[in-house]
Amino acid sequence: MPDLSIRAAHHSDERDLVLLDRDTWSPLHAVGPPPQPPYEPFFHGRFGPSAHLVAEYGGRLAGYVRFGCPTELASNAHVRQIRGLAVSGEARGRGVGRALVRAAVQEARDRGARRITLRVLGHNTPARALYESEGFVVEGVQPGEFLLDGRYVDDVLMGRSLL
């Protein structure tokens, strides 16, 4: 896709990422309330620019993937985890999410990981289908883990080997 590029995030992306997060919030994937002013910074704690890849589509920031280690334990350092993924409404259906997932998998490999995991809400069938098509399998389910909009929703752990 000639208009799509994936790159490392920069501090200068902060404003666009805050807006993207706010604009893409949905109970389909979010377990917290909708963002309200004053908005939290996008980059924080362990999740600075180095923990993000961004997608540019048609010259505009169109999505991001956040990744890191699932824990801070040395015994778990061989695993990376996708900790967030968002694609702007106008870029959906154009392969941006798939490109971000593939880039996160490659980044995990480049950082020496042997596995990559993620968590996804059970009712988020579009995301689950994307992850499954990229080789992720369901490794566990926490039934009714979240109460969202008056209904209990499963938390699904998915993962894949990088070997």
Side-chain angles (χ1 to χ4, degrees):
M1 189 175 314
D3 288 344
L4 176 63
S5 63
I6 308 293
R7 64 169 174 79
H10 305 291
H11 280 285
S12 60
D13 295 318
E14 172 87 22
R15 181 181 177 279
D16 289 337
L17 289 167
V18 166
L19 292 172
L20 177 67
D21 246 13
R22 187 178 73 203
D23 293 344
T24 59
W25 184 94
S26 166
L28 187 62
H29 61 79
V31 296
Q36 299 292 322
Y39 299 109
E40 298 283 326
F42 185 82
F43 298 124
H44 57 84
R46 296 184 346 214
F47 299 111
S50 65
H52 297 83
L53 298 173
V54 297
E56 291 181 333
Y57 182 76
R60 296 181 59 198
L61 195 137
Y64 74 85
V65 61
R66 174 180 287 160
F67 52 91
C69 295
T71 72
E72 295 182 21
L73 299 170
S75 60
N76 191 225
H78 63 285
V79 180
R80 293 296 181 275
Q81 188 172 56
I82 292 175
R83 308 287 298 235
L85 177 74
V87 176
S88 68
E90 54 274 2
R92 286 199 183 120
R94 300 179 188 272
V96 173
R98 182 173 307 282
L100 284 165
V101 169
R102 287 179 178 174
V105 167
Q106 187 58 51
E107 185 72 18
R109 278 193 182 107
D110 292 348
R111 293 184 186 202
R114 299 173 54 88
R115 287 181 30 80
I116 187 167
T117 64
L118 58 89
R119 292 169 62 178
V120 61
L121 294 175
H123 68 267
N124 191 345
T125 53
R128 290 180 65 179
L130 168 63
Y131 299 137
E132 287 173 3
S133 74
E134 290 299 317
F136 288 82
V137 297
V138 173
E139 296 181 337
V141 176
Q142 293 178 295
E145 187 70 5
F146 297 102
L147 177 61
L148 304 173
D149 285 340
R151 64 184 258 236
Y152 292 96
V153 178
D154 295 348
D155 189 18
V156 180
L157 176 66
M158 300 181 80
R160 63 170 278 189
S161 172
L162 298 177
L163 302 179

